[in-house]
Amino acid sequence: MSKSFISLSVPCICGNEWKYIKECIDTEWVSSAGKYVDKFENDICKFTGSKYAVACVNGTAGLQIALQLAGVKSTDEVIVPTLTFIAPINAVRYLGAEPVFMDCDDYMNIDVKKTEEFCSKECQITNKGLKNKKSGKYVKAIMPVHIFGNPCDMEGVMKIAQKYNLKVIEDATESLGSYYTKGKYKNKHTGTIGDIGVYSFNGNKIVTTGGGGMILTNNKNISDKARYLTTQAKDDSVRYIHNEIGYNFRLTNLQAAMGVAQLENLEKFIKIKKKNYELYKKELKNVKGIEMLGIPNGTTPNYWFYSLIVEKKQYGMDREKLMQKLNEKNIQARPVWYLNHKQKPYNKNQSYKIEKAQWFWEKILNIPCSSNLTAKEVKKVVTEIKLLQENV
Ligand SMILES: Cc1ncc(COP(=O)(O)O)c(C=O)c1O
């Protein structure tokens, strides 16, 4: 890639990755067992404060296992945000269950007020669980997604879960390093509050193993079962006895070695990302019609992705046009995901008062945010955004 091209989000592989991976190859511990798998799990526990962590092949597989362990069955429904990457929604369907789509709040995270309203008005509490009056199915769980690293209102989510006896699966795939600084969950990391949380180490994530995931829980039974299911549900590893259907979902030692090295630099990555977020914010402050998405009160995010809200009337061109123009200038920019309640496999599913998500979908533009993005590159992006407005 030419140096003048500014990517949206590329990994920063600048630490001990090569050294640790080489050690795996030299010692021939390359598969799904080995010291780095254990170390990566332990390091994640230490960093996040989670009691248990089970490494797995990717975040999507982690979410699938998490939903299964939460007891989600084919007769159930799960409340999910419509504004998210499609992976958590697909994970619900892998279990034969159905997603019910919820609107988002001012930070693009699941709208807690509307979720409560949906549970109280559209459902009834029965002795078998929370029954959706329209579908006749039972709502088993809520799956908040900490979008772009901004922590969700977990106090609100957990209150709803307790009131209606729902399980909470935190899709924390984008938010490794994000935590709360106030309230009931002060100092708690995203992914460690619900029944189960999941991280992703996909190539574009703040810590990458090429592909990978981690299932977090404070419950030993869940952790043991996650380990069991992700290793083909092996009950006897000598005689190969399997009493359940399992999966080949374990992370390899090679990938875990990379994860350990990446994790050593996580604090540094967050520092750079925070600095660049603040620089963008300062430099774009006086550009009419352009605003950086904010940070929820009482949280410290990992600043994974930067989102611009583009108001066509004030800026002079819409998000689509700005994206195209930036791309022409060798600056990669991308709109937020298409809303899931409109995606072909899900457009017949129930959705609840989707308004804000639609508003964001029309206006959000993600701009370069890599951990190795320089101040000079940030300034180049800002200069182009300003020049484009001047020349509308
Ligand atoms: C919100 C969200 N959920 C789930 C996933 C799935 O993670 P993975 O790619 O590791 O399967 C991703 C990212 O890829 C994501 O952004």
Side-chain angles (χ1 to χ4, degrees), residues 86-298:
I86 202 167
I89 320 294
N90 284 342
V92 173
R93 271 279 177 86
Y94 296 161
L95 291 159
E98 291 298 335
V100 173
F101 294 103
M102 192 49 64
D103 201 14
C104 68
D105 63 16
D106 292 345
Y107 303 97
M108 297 203 282
N109 284 330
I110 194 162
D111 186 316
V112 164
K113 275 196 196 129
K114 284 186 182 171
T115 306
E116 163 61 38
E117 200 181 278
F118 171 79
C119 293
S120 65
K121 291 193 178 154
E122 304 292 321
C123 303
Q124 69 187 113
I125 299 173
T126 74
N127 54 10
K128 280 193 188 157
L130 188 68
K131 190 172 182 180
N132 182 342
K133 289 190 236 174
K134 198 165 175 185
S135 65
K137 292 187 172 211
Y138 291 91
V139 180
K140 186 79 184 195
I142 313 180
M143 191 154 45
V145 182
H146 304 282
I147 300 288
F148 296 151
N150 263 344
C152 291
D153 174 3
M154 283 306 289
E155 280 196 37
V157 169
M158 295 309 283
K159 260 189 215 153
I160 295 168
Q162 272 146 22
K163 183 169 169 191
Y164 297 102
N165 198 19
L166 305 175
K167 296 288 184 194
V168 176
I169 314 299
E170 281 182 77
D171 181 334
T173 49
E174 302 180 349
S175 65
L176 175 62
S178 304
Y179 61 95
Y180 296 83
T181 52
K182 277 190 195 148
K184 187 170 176 190
Y185 299 120
K186 187 173 170 181
N187 295 327
K188 287 238 177 228
H189 280 244
T190 56
T192 69
I193 295 165
D195 295 280
I196 310 175
V198 176
Y199 292 136
S200 163
F201 309 115
N202 184 10
N204 67 356
K205 296 298 184 284
I206 195 159
V207 156
T208 185
T209 56
M214 193 73 77
I215 302 165
L216 305 191
T217 179
N218 291 322
N219 180 316
K220 183 164 186 334
N221 290 336
I222 291 178
S223 157
D224 289 348
K225 198 74 196 270
R227 202 170 290 283
Y228 171 74
L229 288 177
T230 51
T231 11
Q232 301 282 26
K234 210 181 277 174
D235 286 283
D236 184 320
S237 59
V238 178
R239 289 162 195 85
Y240 286 83
I241 307 295
H242 305 265
N243 292 315
E244 279 190 52
I245 297 170
Y247 306 87
N248 180 12
F249 277 177
R250 287 292 276 160
L251 192 76
T252 66
N253 202 43
L254 275 172
Q255 291 166 306
M258 180 158 175
V260 168
Q262 284 268 292
L263 206 55
E264 289 171 352
N265 278 322
L266 176 57
E267 310 253 24
K268 190 177 100 189
F269 295 159
I270 295 175
K271 241 190 211 164
I272 296 167
K273 278 181 178 272
K274 180 175 192 285
K275 210 167 139 198
N276 283 336
Y277 172 86
E278 283 162 0
L279 185 59
Y280 268 127
K281 205 167 168 157
K282 183 174 142 244
E283 297 287 330
L284 289 167
K285 202 170 150 214
N286 298 319
V287 182
K288 272 198 199 131
I290 296 278
E291 196 191 333
M292 294 279 283
L293 184 77
I295 290 159
N297 223 342

